[in-house]
Every structure is written in C-alpha cells, then in structure tokens.
Amino acid sequence: IDTVFAVKDNRGGNTINILGGTIISNGPYAVATKGSVNVSGGTITKNRVTRSTESWAGFGGGVLIAKNAVFTLKGTGVISENTASHGGAGVRVNSNTSTFVMEGGTISENTTDGQGGGVDINGVFTMSGGTISGNTAATVGGGVCFGGTETDIVYALSDDASIPVGDDGKNDVYLADGKYITISGALSATAVANISLPAESYQSGTKVLGDTATLVSAHYTKFSVADDSDGNSWSIASDGTLQLSTLYVAGAGKASDVGTGSDIPILGG
C-alpha cells in the first residue's frame, strides 16, 4: 500500500480525526491535499518513502502535508520509526501553504538518507508542545531541518516545545542560510534545542532566533549551538545572534572562553 488515505478537498470543512490505533508499514501515510488531519492518539510507525516513489520524490515517510493542508499532532499521538530517502522521515511540510501544528505527542526514532529526520520544513510549522527526539539524518537536521526554498515559511516555538539533542548530538535543528527560529511565546523547557548551521552561516551576528526582543532575551539561553566544522564553539547572544565562544587552534585544542564581543585574532595552525 502506498498511502493509507488522502484528504483531497476541504471546501466543506472536512476533517479526519485519528484518536488511536496504528498505521504501520505503508508508504506516505497521509497526503492531506486541501484538507485537515488531527492526530490525538495512536501511532504512525515504520512507514517509508523512497526515491522510486515519483509523485513524492522521496519526502514524507510518515506524513506528507501537501498544499493548502493542515496537519495537527497533539495528545498522545506518536510518529516513530519511519524512513524517507530524501527527507522528512517523520513529517514533511511540503509547501508554503502547508501547515503543521504540533501541540503535543512525540516524533521519535525516524531516519532519513537526506535532510530532516524528524521534520523537514518547507512551509509553516508551529510547535507549542510535545517532543521531537532521537531522530537522525544522513545530511542535515536530524531532529528538524528548516531549509525550505519557498517564501513565507515559518518555524515557531512556544510553551512546552522540546527538541532535545540527545547524547549523540544527532537530533539537532538545522537552520539554512537566512532562516531563524521564531519564539512566539514563553518556553517552559530549560534546554529547548541545539542549533546547527551551514558553514557560511557560522559568523558573529548571524540571526538564529527572532520575533520580539523581549521573548528572545528571556529565552535565548535555552538554545545551544553545535560546533562548526573547524571545531570552534558558538553560543547565542541576548539579541538572538551568534557569538564565538571558544576558538579552536590546530595543535593546541580549544582556547579559553573568548568573551562576548571580543576581537578574535586569526591564529596559525
């Protein structure tokens, strides 16, 4: 079976509510074109999509949210152990008119050979609760990849959102060049997410957190930043931009804390 069901028309306000049960070992399970799907219980697990599935080009192992669609995960709903060749093994938000609302539930242990093990964003993703954990990607964004090419796409976090990086560091949140996380409300977790970036974005002043200055300054310490490819350590300043924390010197390891706003000399290896 390629797809368990597809919601194709929302003109009459049609909505499918999934309250329990298991959707297992299929292709992209929910193609919600011009429709709405709410999952408040049950499990979507061990589904897969590959490059040979031409219509979806290898995206959306568990859930693929198509144009003009809304998918909501809440309650005790689980999306786990799904796979995708290109990206979005758990959930793929496929268009700037696609919306994923996560109010609760769990997205875990999903794996992709591409980007976005847990969630791959090319649309709107608002997360106010639930946990994204233990996901992996062969390229970028084990937990979440925010790298879509469409305009007006958003990744917003608030309330009880949690994307723990894990001991292996693989459940990261990847922000493509020019992308940033919108803090849309107070965050309750002490450690919300670990951010990774493309090499060219590891620069002092790169914006990684946004929305109101008040929210950013109140919650910036709840985010960490992965080391860059040269081994330098970075952190986030109170205005939501990157700052260099420690400088890696070849043959000497990491230097001591360089301090906020310091001028860093270029050192030979």
Side-chain angles (χ1 to χ4, degrees):
I1 301 173
D2 287 334
T3 304
V4 174
F5 63 81
V7 183
K8 293 185 176 180
D9 197 332
N10 199 34
R11 286 176 296 181
N14 299 318
T15 299
I16 288 181
N17 296 308
I18 299 174
L19 307 179
T22 302
I23 297 173
I24 186 170
S25 299
N26 301 283
Y29 118 88
V31 181
T33 306
K34 296 183 180 178
S36 298
V37 176
N38 298 322
V39 175
S40 58
T43 303
I44 300 165
T45 188
K46 297 179 181 177
N47 302 287
R48 80 285 177 204
V49 62
T50 66
R51 288 181 174 85
S52 61
T53 309
E54 294 180 4
S55 60
W56 303 116
F59 289 98
V63 176
L64 189 141
I65 308 171
K67 290 182 177 180
N68 303 312
V70 179
F71 180 88
T72 301
L73 179 65
K74 55 187 176 180
T76 59
V78 175
I79 299 173
S80 66
E81 297 182 77
N82 301 286
T83 59
S85 60
H86 272 46
V91 179
R92 162 72 173 185
V93 189
N94 209 46
S95 161
N96 62 0
T97 62
S98 309
T99 300
F100 177 27
V101 178
M102 187 171 179
E103 299 174 353
T106 303
I107 299 174
S108 65
E109 307 300 328
N110 300 284
T111 304
T112 178
D113 293 332
Q115 63 190 39
V119 182
D120 187 26
I121 308 169
N122 193 35
V124 176
F125 177 24
T126 63
M127 183 180 181
S128 61
T131 302
I132 299 173
S133 64
N135 304 282
T136 57
T139 56
V140 296
V144 176
C145 176
F146 186 23
T149 57
E150 297 216 23
T151 59
D152 301 322
I153 62 177
V154 176
Y155 180 30
L157 300 178
S158 66
D159 300 295
D160 300 324
S162 178
I163 311 101
V165 66
D167 294 337
D168 60 7
K170 294 182 179 179
N171 194 67
D172 61 302
V173 174
Y174 177 80
L175 303 178
D177 188 37
K179 300 293 191 299
Y180 62 88
I181 294 169
T182 297
I183 302 177
S184 56
L187 292 160
S188 61
T190 55
V192 176
N194 181 256
I195 296 170
S196 64
L197 303 152
E200 63 272 16
S201 294
Y202 277 99
Q203 299 181 39
S204 293
T206 294
K207 183 178 181 178
V208 293
L209 300 176
D211 207 1
T212 68
T214 300
L215 282 172
V216 171
S217 63
H219 298 284
Y220 73 98
T221 59
K222 298 178 179 181
F223 296 83
S224 57
V225 181
D227 288 357
D228 64 26
S229 58
D230 293 326
N232 301 314
S233 293
W234 297 79
S235 60
I236 302 174
S238 61
D239 64 353
T241 63
L242 282 189
Q243 60 183 7
L244 185 60
S245 297
T246 57
L247 182 68
Y248 181 84
V249 181
K254 287 185 177 179
S256 60
D257 192 337
V258 299
T260 303
S262 297
D263 292 328
I264 310 302
I266 298 175
L267 305 177

